[in-house]
Amino acid sequence: MTETDPMADEFDTMAAWTAEAVAELGPDHAIPAACRGSGSPAALEWLCDRLRLGPGVRLLDCGAGVGGPAELAARRHGVAPVLAEPMIHACRASARLFDRPVVVATGDRLPFASGVFEAVWSLGVLCTVPDQAGLLAELRRVSRPQALVGLLVFLRTVAHLPQQPEGNHFLTDGELNGLLARTGLTVLERAELSDFADPEPDWQAAADRVEAVIERRHGADQRWQSARSQEQVIGQLISEGLVTGRLLVLQPAA
Ligand SMILES: C[S@@+](CC[C@H](N)C(=O)[O-])C[C@H]1O[C@@H](n2cnc3c(N)ncnc32)[C@H](O)[C@@H]1O
């Protein structure tokens, strides 16, 4: 029997399988399949606009996964993305799909000098990280003066969750605000993920076709079942309103 590690199944093995499925289906499937948990294109567009992303802006995507959001920002706004992601197969998958610079790194120890990025974002990552204060401090450290930091955070709306995907630590609104204040990050703007339009049908259809290929190839594999079960748990918590996605635009204190 294969030993499974739910976080690695969801973020590492699935990433490799995603790149494999895109190779079968074609490159027009790459971005929808590679936006893993980052919300809708409309939400990403809001963030791109608020972070003032434009041609040549160096954007760090921390916890970039398979790299779909950074690629969308690159193609739509001409940014120069740099990806940091701890899962080696996710790094390889993003390199295979989009060929952008990527480093294997956790967000609490970023291998960059201080003050080098004109924009930084981290999408759907904070709740998966044990050292949340450490990650936020690093996002702040690598940001240039005047740079803005974007977050997509999944928050717990109740005191106790009936179930929780393994490795996730959902903060409450109050806990997040306290953490941001302690890290010297001021909230400039916020938006609720649920207020944005769903992805266009062709975007969703492309993502679904990739999922179907992965299931056809690997559905009998315990790691696929473990990843699917993690995704189902978070999907259920969101649909019941027990966990909610929030977008934040943050300004590091001078
Ligand atoms: C829900 S996925 C989001 C991926 C990507 N940001 C997106 O929106 O498509 C969470 C990502 O956080 C990464 N992650 C987990 N622990 C991390 C850490 N300590 N530092 C940075 N990223 C981490 C995972 O490997 C995974 O790729």
Side-chain angles (χ1 to χ4, degrees), residues 58-228:
R58 256 162 69 86
L59 167 72
L60 172 66
D61 186 340
C62 177
V66 188
E71 188 63 21
L72 199 67
R75 292 194 194 171
R76 289 196 178 163
H77 299 277
V79 301
V82 175
L83 282 57
E85 162 60 46
M87 300 284 178
I88 179 97
H89 292 104
C91 293
R92 287 191 181 137
S94 74
R96 181 175 173 186
L97 293 179
F98 307 119
D99 197 22
R100 302 286 178 180
V102 57
V103 293
V104 181
T106 58
D108 57 343
R109 291 187 65 183
L110 291 170
F112 303 112
S114 299
V116 290
F117 290 100
E118 291 152 313
V120 171
W121 74 22
S122 187
L123 309 174
V125 177
L126 198 66
C127 62
T128 67
V129 171
D131 182 5
Q132 296 173 323
L135 177 128
L136 293 174
E138 278 293 84
L139 299 184
R140 179 179 168 188
R141 181 186 67 78
V142 300
S143 298
R144 270 194 189 175
Q146 315 304 327
L148 298 177
V149 174
L151 287 186
L152 168 61
V153 188
F154 288 94
L155 294 172
R156 172 165 55 88
T157 61
V158 289
H160 301 288
L161 292 170
Q163 53 180 349
Q164 187 146 291
E166 261 190 66
N168 282 251
H169 318 273
F170 298 108
L171 298 171
T172 62
D173 181 47
E175 287 167 345
L176 176 65
N177 289 334
L179 188 58
L180 292 174
R182 286 195 298 282
T183 324
L185 292 164
T186 304
V187 178
L188 294 186
E189 285 196 72
R190 72 185 74 204
E192 300 305 317
L193 193 54
S194 55
D195 289 342
F196 290 94
D198 288 335
E200 295 292 326
D202 57 346
W203 170 288
Q204 192 55 54
D208 290 346
R209 280 194 293 276
V210 170
E211 289 295 322
V213 167
I214 296 173
E215 182 171 358
R216 191 192 77 224
R217 288 177 174 221
H218 302 289
D221 190 314
Q222 250 192 320
R223 292 168 297 174
W224 179 86
Q225 288 156 14
S226 150
R228 170 56 65 93

